[in-house]
């Protein structure tokens, strides 16, 4: 079960890193989705990347 969790977490981290390379701040909104910065996608990606530190 631990390996499955680590594999899933690694996939989530890779995806989160990809999200953060595309969802960027442009003035006060996201260049991709147009939401006010920080957008929901960027916030979720940051949260996933912080999970590594919680292990």
């Amino acid at each position: 079960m631990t390996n499955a969790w680590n594999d899933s977490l690694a996939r989530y981290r890779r995806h989160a890193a990809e999200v953060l390379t595309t969802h960027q701040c442009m003035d006060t909104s996201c260049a991709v989705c147009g939401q006010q910065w920080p957008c929901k996608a960027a916030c979720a990606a940051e949260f996933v990347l912080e999970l590594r530190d919680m292990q």
Side-chain angles (χ1 to χ4, degrees):
M1 179 114 176
T2 301
N3 285 338
W5 167 251
N6 288 335
D7 291 345
S8 293
L9 191 54
R11 273 194 313 277
Y12 290 142
R13 278 187 276 212
R14 282 191 301 272
H15 182 68
E18 291 171 10
V19 166
L20 289 177
T21 61
T22 58
H23 287 258
Q24 297 287 316
C25 182
M26 185 172 70
D27 295 322
T28 60
S29 61
C30 178
V32 173
C33 64
Q35 293 179 10
Q36 182 178 353
W37 187 258
C39 67
K40 290 178 184 178
C43 289
E46 286 287 340
F47 175 77
V48 169
L49 291 175
E50 288 175 7
L51 288 175
R52 172 178 35 191
D53 298 331
M54 297 171 67
Q55 288 182 336

